[in-house]
Structure formats: C-alpha cells, structure tokens
Amino acid sequence: MKKMLIGLGLLIVFGMIAVVSANPLYVDYTEKYNVSAYVSGDGSTIYSINNITGYITINNTATDINDTLYDVWVAVNISNNITGLTLVYNGTPKGVFIESSAPAYTGLGSADLYIHIPILLPNSYVQYSFGINTSKFGVPILVDEAYSADKIPAGKESNWTVYINISRNTSALPDPNTVVYVNMTKYLSNDSNNYGSEYWTKLNISGVSSTQGTTTLWDGPYFTGAANDSLNWTGVILNNAQNGTIEFNVTGINTYQNRSPIKLKYGFAVITFSYDGTVSGSKICGIYATGMGRINAVKDGPYKNTTTGKYNIWYENATIENTASSYAFNVTRMNLWAINGSDPTNVNPFNSSLLIPGSSHSFTPYTLINPGESWSTGTYNFTFDDVPVVWANCTFTVAEDNITLLNRTVHAYDSEYGSSYIVIEEIYVVGSYLIKVTKHIIPNSDGTYDVYLVVENIGSEKSPYVYVYDLIPNNFNVSNMWVNRSEMLAQHADGDPNNNYTGNKTLSGDYSLSYWWALNSIYPNADGDGDYNDATEINNNQTVVIHYTLNGTGEFKPTDAFLVGIDPKHSLAPSTSPKTVLAGGAVSNNFESLLALASGMIGIGAILRRKTKGKYKNN
C-alpha cells in the first residue's frame, strides 16, 4: 500500500543578493529615474529629477504548466519612500495581497511587508511600485554640453560644434566604483512638439568623434526633410578610468527675422542608462513558494518476524520526484514516519501518540534533482502488530542557477523616446546683424607686437554704427595705428584725419589707456574666420581691420595684452570660445558699442605664428 503527503515547499531566504541570469524565477527590484536636463543658450545645464520610482517584479518566466508556482511570498524592506506599494500589474488569475506578516512555515524573517501571490502561472508576472523621496538623492548620470558658438545668425548657413561629456555623479551611486552603461540618441528637430522650432529649414550632423562606443548617423523622425539629423551613440561604459565624450558639427539654416536675439530649441538627446545596485535602501529580503512535484511514501508488508513468528515486519521508503519542466530543486529535508492506523477516524500524522517506534527517520540530503529526476530515502523497517500508515514530507529550494534576482537602477521608460532622460538643447539666434570680433596679437623679432582687431558682421543684415573699444596695458606705447578700410572710420579724434581712432582716455590700474573707434555700418554675410587679410570682405565692407603696434618699455607684462571681449549681453561665454566673441542687437541711429576688454585669456601659443600672406592695407 502507498500513502502520499504533498507537502512540498520552495524556501529561499537570502542572506545576500546574488545576480544570475536567464533563469525561470525572476525577482527584480529596480529603481527608475525620471530625469530631464535643460541646456540653456548661455552654456549652463540645469538638471531636474522629476521622480524616482521603485518597482518590484515577480515573474515566472517558465513556459510549461508544470512550472506553475503556488503560495508565493516575497519579503520586502522599503526605505525613503513617499508612497506605499501600488499594484501596477497582476498577470495571475487570482488576487494578490500585501500583508504585514508571513506564515511561520515560510521561514521568512522580519520585513516591512510581504507580497502574497496565491498562484503564479508560467509566463505571468506581478508588479508593484512605490514612490521614492527625490530630495534625498542626486542625478546619477551627468550630461554636460557646450557649443563652439552660443549665437548664430539667421538667414544663412551656420555651423557650430557640440561638445558632450557624460560622467557619473559618484555621490548619487550605490558605490563610487559602480560601473554605468549608457547609450545616447541625439535628434535635431524643427518640430515644436518635439523640442524643435519651425524656423529651422536645415539641420544636419557631421564630423562625429567620440572617445569610446559606436556612433551611427541616420535620418531621424523630428526634422522635416532628408538629412543626417540624428545620431546614435551606443556601448558607452563609465567607470573610474573613463567618461564618455563626443563632439560633432551641426549645420543649420534658420529663418528667424526679428532683430533681437532669441533662444530657439533645435533638438534634444535621449539618455538611457543602467547599473547594478540601488541607493534608497529598499530591497528584497526573501522568497517562499510551493511548486509542482510528486512525493511517494511506500509501505510494504507485513513480513514474518523470524524471532517471534508473527507477521509484523514492515518496510518503508519515500521518493521525491521533480515533475517541473524548467526548475531544478535542491532537496534540503525529507521526513519519513509511520503511525498507528487501526482507527481510520483518527489518522493524524502529527499526533505523536500515534507514532510507531522505530519508524521515524529524517534526512538532510541537500541534493540537486533536475526536471524528471528523483531522490529516494532508501528502505527502512519497523515492527508493528497492527495496521501502520506511512507518511513522508519534504522541503526543497529552487536551485540557485534557476533564480534571476536583480537589484539595479535604470532610466524611466518613455513611450515616445524610449527614455524619460531628455536633454533639451537651445541656441541663441540673431535675426539681423551679428558682430564677431577677433583679436590677434603677434610678436615681432624686435620685441614689439602687431595687434589686429578684426570686426566682422556674420549676420544677415547690415549693422548700425559700431563703437569698438580696446585697452592698452601699463608700460606699453602705441604706434602705427590704422583702420582698413580708412573710410569705415566714421569719426576721427579732434576731427583730425591723421588720428586713426575716435577717442582715447587715460586709465589707472593695470591698463594705462583706452582707445575707441566709431565705425560705419558693416555689411552682412562675412564668413567669420577672423582673417585680417581677407581682401574680398574688407573691400565689401563686411570686415573692418584695426591695427596698431605695441612696444613695451621698462617692466611690462605682455600677457595683459592677450585679452579680448565685448558687451556680455551680446557675447559668447569666454569658456566656450576664448578667441572669438559675438554681438548682436537692433539697428538704430545710435552707435553700437562693442568693448574689446579683459574678459578672457587667449593662449599665447595659439597665435605666435605670423600669417605668411602679405598684409592687406588700404588707406
């Protein structure tokens, strides 16, 4: 005769969280960051954590009905939360529940709460979420972006270089040594619904260079027209030894026509990221589940007792068989025993008064049985004069190799872009004139310096009158001053045509003297290369060149002369373009003031070579 007791349990209590992959029981705790970054036209980046959400997913990824799990309990600790658990998805045929305690038979330790899933079919999952306090955590991935020009003119083709550096914010990571995996997709856009402006009639990416990963240019969905307007950058790995940096050129034509500068969106970047570990302190503490298995309790007898002559010798054994299709089980305990079954109305296997002496055996095999395999206790005997009932039960754990347990952080998903981490990009566009000033300081063999101030209108409209200013450092003398072309100088000091400047003034401090030049209106569409020998642009009054010679006397500091700048309201940030500055504004009857002063250091080594072409001068 046989008697079977199905008491199978899957008991998993984790002292530490391990990560394995591609296994049927999938328990995942993930923190998802919804982050945005705004790259302003002035070169600054503003980050915002919109929300952080913790997700707990219990997923039976097996496919066979024999891999159904029952009575699933998941112990959870939650920290730094602003909401309780909310059911996101229930893929089971029954309800799921949040409990404050778990039954003792699960063996689960203390936890903040327990998720109870009565039945978890193959190919089904349950997911809960909760809100995390964003004020306690920083943005884990920083995307710093700068442009070679903060202003471009409308009405003509413009080019600027975009520099992007992606780095880890180690203070916001689980560990300073955390390795982060990043991908970026850059979109140019003239769609106002997708971070663009309808003023753009051309946008294109070229000249891509990155320090790591793979880049691909393609025709994206957010710019109207065929162009390489999108860029994929994949396989970027951030660690203690490296960030991810990339630069590329953008070519654009903008039809904005107003005279005042405006910041216009021209696209966005989508950032995806992932890394192991979380920072909120929440975690999965343990899992219990029952599964599909078969246990056989075997009784054989009675056989004759050769000592007494009675038929009271009984044999017993038990076998556990793995009937699942995907799960391997580690058999941790098997119990085999017999009780007095002479009273069929009182057959309680756990009534110790009915236990037959010599029939009870316990085993702790810690044996792995794969699907279709079994483990047996071996055969034992006992003596009993009446009718015994043989019982068996066992416990087993899912084999470690069958568990996928993840503790990770990723970007929040967005249905339109794939990630909610969006870097929004803008650039200043000037719809009229746009003045660029380049200062060249070239040392001569006799210790003097030739200084060239190249004033160009790279905008699309004629400028108003322009005032240009410069400062002379202490212990320097000025000579050989001229303006090319001379008729572009609108006013001479004291009305004397021999004075090739409009005015000067004695100063104190590091600079002894200031000069200024009132220039006539400058025509548009200069190429902006800062060339003081460009005869075509000079003749067309698109470029004006101011020259003078500096000669140091006594103790002087040549570095004080290597400075350039203009009115900050209409200039580039010196950090993005220390040699080139831009200005723009409205045409009026007044002079437009451009101030070449101490706003950024020019590297001396960058301008030590004199141009080989002859100096073009027309008085």
Side-chain angles (χ1 to χ4, degrees), residues 505-525:
K505 183 177 181 180
T506 301
L507 302 175
S508 60
D510 292 334
Y511 296 89
S512 61
L513 192 64
S514 70
Y515 278 95
W516 61 93
W517 296 263
L519 302 180
N520 286 308
S521 297
I522 303 174
Y523 282 79
N525 297 318

Side-chain angles (χ1 to χ4, degrees), residues 40-235:
S40 174
D42 60 10
S44 62
T45 301
I46 301 172
Y47 296 94
S48 176
I49 301 179
N50 303 312
N51 59 71
I52 306 174
T53 306
Y55 288 88
I56 300 169
T57 304
I58 304 100
N59 190 358
N60 185 357
T61 65
T63 58
D64 192 281
I65 191 64
N66 289 325
D67 291 320
T68 300
L69 299 178
Y70 300 97
D71 199 23
V72 179
W73 291 82
V74 178
V76 180
N77 277 345
I78 297 181
S79 300
N80 293 305
N81 58 305
I82 56 175
T83 70
L85 287 190
T86 299
L87 181 62
V88 176
Y89 180 79
N90 178 14
T92 78
K94 302 294 183 179
V96 293
F97 308 93
I98 302 296
E99 305 291 353
S100 60
S101 61
Y105 65 79
T106 65
L108 295 174
S110 176
D112 293 336
L113 52 87
Y114 303 83
I115 300 172
H116 183 209
I117 307 171
I119 181 172
L120 188 60
L121 295 173
N123 271 332
S124 65
Y125 71 94
V126 171
Q127 186 177 75
Y128 281 90
S129 70
F130 61 95
I132 296 172
N133 189 344
T134 60
S135 66
K136 296 187 176 182
F137 307 102
V139 176
I141 311 301
L142 302 178
V143 182
D144 295 317
E145 185 167 339
Y147 310 144
S148 61
D150 279 353
K151 284 181 183 177
I152 62 168
K156 60 182 292 185
E157 184 172 285
S158 299
N159 297 279
W160 64 97
T161 302
V162 178
Y163 307 93
I164 296 177
N165 180 69
I166 302 180
S167 61
R168 303 171 306 150
N169 180 7
T170 54
S171 64
L173 296 176
D175 184 273
N177 298 315
T178 299
V179 177
V180 180
Y181 302 91
V182 176
N183 296 318
M184 182 190 83
T185 300
K186 172 73 180 77
Y187 297 101
L188 301 180
S189 173
N190 62 354
D191 182 348
S192 59
N193 294 319
N194 291 282
Y195 309 108
S197 167
E198 64 276 7
Y199 287 118
W200 297 105
T201 58
K202 179 178 181 178
L203 285 170
N204 189 74
I205 297 174
S206 63
V208 181
S209 175
S210 65
T211 57
Q212 60 163 303
T214 302
T215 60
T216 304
L217 290 173
W218 55 292
D219 186 3
Y222 303 116
F223 177 75
T224 304
N228 283 329
D229 52 50
S230 297
L231 166 66
N232 288 338
W233 184 25
T234 59

Side-chain angles (χ1 to χ4, degrees), residues 555-575:
E555 184 179 357
F556 62 91
K557 295 184 290 183
T559 54
D560 285 346
F562 288 85
L563 300 167
V564 67
I566 58 174
D567 185 346
K569 181 179 179 182
H570 301 300
S571 67
L572 286 176
S575 60

Side-chain angles (χ1 to χ4, degrees), residues 453-504:
L453 301 179
V454 183
V455 185
E456 300 171 273
N457 183 357
I458 64 173
S460 58
E461 293 186 11
K462 181 180 176 181
S463 78
Y465 293 107
V466 176
Y467 263 126
V468 179
Y469 292 81
D470 200 6
L471 302 180
I472 308 302
N474 289 331
N475 298 324
F476 277 95
N477 295 323
V478 175
S479 63
N480 192 26
M481 182 178 292
W482 45 262
V483 177
N484 192 355
R485 298 167 62 196
S486 59
E487 59 265 34
M488 290 299 291
L489 184 61
Q491 297 176 357
H492 296 266
D494 302 323
D496 184 350
N498 293 316
N499 291 330
N500 291 315
Y501 58 94
T502 302
N504 62 13

